[in-house]
Amino acid sequence: MKKLIALFKDEEGASAVEYGIMVALIAGVIIATVGFLGGDVNDAFTTVETNIDGVAGG
């Protein structure tokens, strides 16, 4: 039991595994955000493009 407690109290620097987990979580959040907002952003750019074409007469 003491070894388990010592493991949780270990305050050494992050290991490669911990950095890998953090990168995976950040990537997951980015992918979820793009998936959730991607359509709205695409619609906004399409609207801007349409309005620019209308003003420029193109």
Side-chain angles (χ1 to χ4, degrees):
M1 187 66 173
K2 288 183 181 181
K3 288 184 179 183
L4 183 62
I5 292 172
L7 179 67
F8 286 114
K9 288 186 177 182
D10 186 17
E11 296 183 8
E12 291 183 17
S15 68
V17 173
E18 291 167 327
Y19 283 122
I21 292 171
M22 288 188 330
V23 168
L25 289 174
I26 291 169
V29 168
I30 291 171
I31 290 169
T33 302
V34 168
F36 184 69
L37 297 176
D40 293 336
V41 173
N42 188 33
D43 291 343
F45 278 113
T46 302
T47 301
V48 169
E49 179 185 12
T50 303
N51 290 334
I52 290 173
D53 285 343
V55 169

